[in-house]
Amino acid sequence: MTEQAELLKELENQKYKYGFVTDIEADTVPRGLNEDIICLISAKKQEPAWLLEWRLKAYRHWQTMSEPHWAKLEFEPINYQNLFYYAAPKQKIKPQSLAEVDKNLLETYDKLGIPLKEQEALAGVVAVDAVFDSVSVATTYRAQLAEKGIIFCSISEAIKEHPELVQKYLGSVVPYTDNFYACLNSAVFTDGSFVYIPKGVRCPMELSTYFRINAKNTGQFERTLIVAEDDSYVSYLEGCTAPQRDENQLHAAIVEIVVLNNAEVKYSTVQNWYPGDEYGNGGVYNFVTKRAACRGQNAKISWTQVETGSAITWKYPSCVLQGDNSIGEFYSVAITHHHQQADTGTKMIHIGKNTRSKIISKGISAGHSNQTYRGLVDVAAKASNARNFSQCDSLLIGNKCGSHTVPYIRNRNKSAILEHEATTSKISDEQLFYCQQRGIGEEEAIGLIVNGFCKEVMQNLPMEFAIEAAKLINISLEGSVG
Amino acid sequence: MTALLQIKDLYAGVAENKKEIIKGLNLTINAGEVHAIMGPNGAGKSTLSYLLAGKSDYEITSGKIDFDGKDLSELTTSERANAGIFLSMQYPVAIPGVSVSSFLKHAVNAKRKYAGLPELDAAEFLKVLRTAAKELGVSAEMLKREINVGFSGGEKKRLEILQMRLLEPKLAILDEADSGLDIDALRIVAEGVNRLHNKDNALLIITHHLDLLNLIEPDFVHIYADGHIVRSGDKSLAEALEKDGYKSFLEA
């Protein structure tokens, strides 16, 4: 696929943008969180009463909860009353040309192979509309999806246009009582995506949350809901390889996925939020709850993630395997560098009979960073013949970083077969020497070796995404040696 | 004519413990020549090859190495490779997840970049790779495999020769190229090397055995012991060595 075709394809999935609420008055909503603010958010979004009530219930419950600290993460307590819960992005002085844009940022765009026009848009020099006359393209594809009965829109739009579907499924996988951050998100989420694939439909294209450029519109409290009816299939891409510099320090998103009989959902993420500087100043705190419920028989969910960003990552995309013969998969690459901290993994909850799950986790730590794989494999008493295979590999670069593996296994059924493999290794001097002796420079060699280490995960990403993600891995590890 | 490689009064050893392994080595190699270094175990033969290639564990205490008009100590490991030094390793290391073809593309393009040539795209590179592989009898299946992962001794050496063919070095150092090979595999390696050798490049063969030298004819044979060359001659020296052992030379 040519670059242009690739962009158009990404563009077509850009529905998100058109459903986004742009309200200048938003700037006037004060800091802090109380019931008035939640009422205001709900009113601005013209939400139905049931949703406001749900938000308020979540908020009241949230007040009884406390910030969890069981993860191996160190951070100062967050003052939740000091945040804006409904705010348009801050008005910043717009650069007049690329010459005024941070040189490092431009270098990164170049390395990722992002075209110049698009760089201008990413850096905020020109508006997105100036780059692509996109409306007609987007409309064409939207029509194509609509023809098949696929709904792909912002969650705000879905609340207005498909309230029955949203009400039926919202919070059904991640209830607002689930955890501190999920509860907060339920009270204050402002936008996100909604996908509905009707019975028997195979979605003809990869759905992306947003076009790369548009990524900066992502809210702090994003909420995504995907429903795959019987015998349907969809592959969904979230995120963006281009560095995302966000002023918001706290991100608490939710992704809920419902998979019914014989349906399959593939969910791929590339997360590259601002990781902070090399001394550990700044950076996004990313507390995400992602969960898929395989409610039907033979349902399948596959999570693939490449996590390179954020100062703090707290994220465990999970699979609840309720339906008999359902399958859950988790493929993850997490890279931490400098002073980044990541506590990430998955939960495989086996409830139905003959359920199968697979976990492939590749963690790469460099600099002074710290990384933990934390995973749960849980087999219920009735889940006969459940199977799990877990492989958790860690690669260390340098001798100041840390890597930890915490696999929890809870098995209440004797017929279960659970396998766990874990390795920790370092890039060997011999491997580096071998590459360098063949003319490959040290940083390129590290990129090559690390990409090889992650191969099993990377090959699960859709092609175009995989190429960018491979470049991203190289960039993320720059300066990790020497 | 200036020599391709000139080693003058070299003293060198392991960087970490300052242990001197090479003691007063002199060696000159011209383009077109084949040199063989033979010596007992522990004489420092591998140290010499690592030192030439620029492995970071080794350092020079005194003396000088010039390669193709450049002071070698001023070049990094990858620069030396791109300038034309190729070390066929005794034990090539495995790199899981990295395919032979992808690795070779990186290597070939690194060299082209160094030489100021445009990099090859995937299609152009594949063409070059397939031609080279065919010449050396390397199967298409092997190109897809992960580099040296699960390779037999013979396959590893064959892959080294394929890399040598693609990178077209000015000086190829074969470090114990015969170790772990049966006679058939040895013959294949030797044929590959002979095919690549011409008047513009040179070979430095480090070996224990006469077998390899019967297949790759050396112009010069050096007996190396205790960190320096104790005797130089032509191939007959290797034959004498095979007959009488190192002892007679070391006592001389």
Side-chain angles (χ1 to χ4, degrees):
Chain A
M1 198 185 299
T2 65
E3 181 75 10
Q4 190 58 30
E6 201 176 301
L7 289 180
L8 288 175
K9 200 175 146 200
E10 285 179 87
L11 188 64
E12 93 224 354
N13 299 322
Q14 197 193 345
K15 311 293 137 54
Y16 195 81
K17 185 185 154 198
Y18 305 101
F20 212 86
V21 180
T22 44
D23 191 339
I24 301 302
E25 282 170 45
D27 288 336
T28 63
V29 174
R31 278 173 201 271
L33 188 55
N34 54 50
E35 296 202 1
D36 289 344
I37 298 272
I38 291 168
C39 292
L40 191 59
I41 293 172
S42 194
K44 277 186 179 294
K45 298 171 72 64
Q46 300 171 304
E47 287 175 352
W50 65 263
L51 189 54
L52 173 60
E53 225 164 88
W54 190 71
R55 285 178 182 277
L56 289 172
K57 270 197 259 174
Y59 175 64
R60 286 169 199 146
H61 187 76
W62 182 70
Q63 288 174 299
T64 69
M65 303 176 95
S66 53
E67 207 177 68
H69 283 280
W70 43 261
K72 194 174 167 52
L73 300 170
E74 280 175 29
F75 58 97
E76 292 294 312
I78 297 164
N79 182 354
Y80 293 90
Q81 291 303 336
N82 197 33
L83 301 173
F84 289 101
Y85 289 89
Y86 188 79
K90 279 178 215 154
Q91 293 293 322
K92 280 181 279 179
I93 300 159
K94 221 171 106 174
Q96 295 303 306
S97 74
L98 279 180
E100 292 174 29
V101 175
D102 180 11
K103 226 179 91 221
N104 292 333
L105 198 61
L106 293 181
E107 275 176 22
T108 308
Y109 291 161
D110 274 339
K111 286 173 194 155
L112 283 167
I114 295 170
L116 201 66
K117 271 288 183 191
E118 208 180 313
Q119 290 188 17
E120 290 184 330
L122 277 165
V125 177
V126 295
V128 178
D129 298 352
V131 182
F132 298 99
D133 180 15
S134 59
V135 180
S136 59
V137 180
T139 314
T140 310
Y141 282 104
R142 195 170 203 183
Q144 200 181 322
L145 290 175
E147 207 173 277
K148 291 185 175 282
I150 295 169
I151 304 168
F152 180 34
C153 61
S154 75
I155 198 143
S156 309
E157 227 176 323
I159 290 163
K160 288 199 187 82
E161 290 170 23
H162 309 281
E164 72 298 339
L165 284 173
V166 177
Q167 196 171 6
K168 182 171 175 189
Y169 292 109
L170 188 77
S172 76
V173 184
V174 181
Y176 64 77
T177 50
D178 194 82
N179 69 67
F180 182 81
Y181 301 108
C183 192
L184 177 63
N185 175 292
S186 303
V188 302
F189 75 91
T190 41
D191 221 322
S193 303
F194 177 74
V195 175
Y196 178 81
I197 313 290
K199 190 173 175 195
V201 170
R202 199 180 160 85
C203 185
M205 60 189 80
E206 315 263 1
L207 298 183
S208 322
T209 20
Y210 28 70
F211 186 45
R212 193 151 52 194
I213 292 167
N214 216 23
K216 59 173 173 282
N217 284 343
T218 315
Q220 259 181 293
F221 301 103
E222 207 182 347
R223 183 137 198 151
T224 296
L225 176 60
I226 299 174
V227 179
E229 288 279 9
D230 291 355
D231 310 306
S232 68
Y233 169 83
V234 65
S235 167
Y236 187 90
L237 313 182
E238 177 208 18
C240 161
T241 52
Q244 297 167 54
R245 302 214 165 216
D246 194 296
E247 300 296 312
N248 297 316
Q249 196 179 27
L250 175 68
H251 281 242
I254 292 182
V255 175
E256 290 183 276
I257 303 178
V258 177
V259 197
L260 299 171
N261 288 317
N262 309 309
E264 180 179 352
V265 176
K266 264 186 82 119
Y267 191 102
S268 310
T269 309
V270 170
Q271 187 265 119
N272 189 19
W273 294 105
Y274 182 50
D277 68 14
E278 60 188 294
Y279 307 104
N281 302 313
V284 166
Y285 289 8
N286 195 23
F287 297 97
V288 192
T289 305
K290 291 186 168 182
R291 193 174 304 151
C294 286
R295 296 227 171 114
Q297 295 199 355
N298 308 310
K300 183 176 176 187
I301 170 70
S302 181
W303 297 101
T304 305
Q305 60 173 23
V306 176
E307 303 273 329
T308 62
S310 298
I312 288 179
T313 300
W314 182 97
K315 180 179 172 188
Y316 315 91
S318 305
C319 305
V320 183
L321 305 172
Q322 290 165 268
D324 290 349
N325 310 314
S326 58
I327 298 172
E329 292 175 343
F330 175 74
Y331 298 96
S332 171
V333 169
I335 296 182
T336 52
H337 192 192
H338 301 311
H339 291 267
Q340 283 176 275
Q341 303 176 65
D343 194 299
T344 183
T346 183
K347 288 189 268 185
M348 294 292 175
I349 318 288
H350 293 257
I351 297 168
K353 293 183 176 63
N354 308 316
T355 47
R356 280 177 289 156
S357 63
K358 183 163 149 189
I359 299 169
I360 307 285
S361 165
K362 304 278 180 176
I364 298 110
S365 324
H368 292 82
S369 70
N370 235 309
Q371 197 175 129
T372 303
Y373 167 82
R374 190 183 302 277
L376 168 68
V377 176
D378 184 312
V379 179
K382 287 180 180 169
S384 47
N385 303 315
R387 290 212 56 165
N388 164 265
F389 174 75
S390 300
Q391 187 179 334
C392 303
D393 297 327
S394 310
L395 188 67
L396 303 171
I397 300 174
N399 52 17
K400 296 189 174 68
C401 54
S403 165
H404 317 272
T405 303
V406 190
Y408 302 90
I409 296 174
R410 196 159 54 203
N411 183 13
R412 278 152 294 172
N413 188 303
K414 278 184 184 162
S415 65
I417 300 174
L418 311 176
E419 289 173 78
H420 180 91
E421 290 178 7
T423 64
T424 301
S425 53
K426 292 186 83 163
I427 289 185
S428 76
D429 291 343
E430 297 302 319
Q431 286 174 326
L432 271 181
F433 174 62
Y434 191 77
C435 295
Q436 289 173 287
Q437 208 298 305
R438 302 301 141 96
I440 301 167
E442 192 169 38
E443 294 212 326
E444 192 181 341
I446 287 181
L448 195 65
I449 295 166
V450 170
N451 270 296
F453 174 75
C454 303
K455 191 181 133 202
E456 284 164 279
V457 174
M458 304 296 277
Q459 65 194 11
N460 278 292
L461 288 173
M463 183 69 134
E464 313 91 275
F465 223 35
I467 293 167
E468 277 193 22
K471 289 184 193 161
L472 178 61
I473 287 176
N474 296 346
I475 293 169
S476 304
L477 289 169
E478 271 175 10
S480 60
V481 286
Chain B
M1 192 177 78
T2 52
L4 181 62
L5 179 77
Q6 189 153 38
I7 302 176
K8 269 190 200 158
D9 298 323
L10 186 71
Y11 288 80
V14 180
E16 201 176 31
N17 58 13
K18 305 280 171 207
K19 191 180 168 210
E20 206 151 70
I21 296 172
I22 294 175
K23 302 162 192 168
L25 177 70
N26 287 287
L27 179 66
T28 301
I29 297 179
N30 294 301
E33 295 176 350
V34 178
H35 288 246
I37 287 186
M38 305 183 77
N41 285 332
K45 300 191 301 295
S46 286
T47 300
L48 175 61
S49 59
Y50 285 144
L51 201 68
L52 291 172
K55 196 165 196 257
S56 59
D57 314 352
Y58 300 89
E59 67 180 13
I60 294 175
T61 34
S62 70
K64 201 164 176 245
I65 309 173
D66 283 317
F67 175 73
D68 205 18
K70 296 179 197 82
D71 179 350
L72 209 55
S73 65
E74 285 171 11
L75 302 182
T76 65
T77 310
S78 53
E79 284 167 347
R80 292 178 195 204
N82 290 324
I85 291 182
F86 181 91
L87 171 60
S88 168
M89 307 213 188
Q90 188 176 358
Y91 304 109
V93 69
I95 308 179
V98 179
S99 72
V100 168
S101 53
S102 142
F103 180 80
L104 292 182
K105 181 163 177 268
H106 279 267
V108 166
N109 278 334
K111 178 157 192 201
R112 291 182 63 92
K113 213 165 150 184
Y114 184 82
L117 297 167
E119 294 184 30
L120 300 179
D121 66 26
E124 292 166 330
F125 172 73
L126 265 173
K127 220 169 136 187
V128 171
L129 177 63
R130 284 196 187 126
T131 311
K134 208 172 162 193
E135 252 176 57
L136 297 170
V138 172
S139 69
E141 181 264 336
M142 185 158 148
L143 301 178
K144 288 182 202 149
R145 284 169 65 184
E146 297 175 18
I147 205 143
N148 291 321
V149 175
F151 279 34
S152 69
E155 285 171 329
K156 282 183 186 170
K157 294 293 154 72
R158 204 184 287 220
L159 177 59
E160 295 290 286
I161 303 306
L162 174 64
Q163 298 188 48
M164 185 174 148
R165 157 72 176 76
L166 285 166
L167 297 171
E168 299 174 325
K170 292 187 182 126
L171 174 67
I173 306 160
L174 308 182
D175 188 2
E176 308 278 356
D178 42 3
S179 69
L181 294 194
D182 59 35
I183 189 69
D184 291 338
L186 193 62
R187 196 162 281 142
I188 289 164
V189 167
E191 268 170 28
V193 171
N194 284 332
R195 193 198 290 256
L196 298 176
H197 178 53
N198 60 39
K199 64 175 178 36
D200 297 320
N201 60 33
L203 292 174
L204 177 59
I205 300 167
I206 294 172
T207 184
H208 274 307
H209 308 289
L210 194 58
D211 293 353
L212 187 64
L213 300 182
N214 285 332
L215 296 167
I216 307 172
E217 198 75 16
D219 302 307
F220 302 93
V221 172
H222 309 282
I223 297 187
Y224 182 88
D226 195 28
H228 61 279
I229 289 167
V230 294
R231 179 94 68 94
S232 295
D234 58 15
K235 201 189 158 196
S236 62
L237 189 60
E239 283 153 4
L241 184 68
E242 181 93 342
K243 199 164 130 249
D244 305 330
Y246 288 109
K247 205 162 173 252
S248 59
F249 291 96
L250 299 185
E251 282 164 357

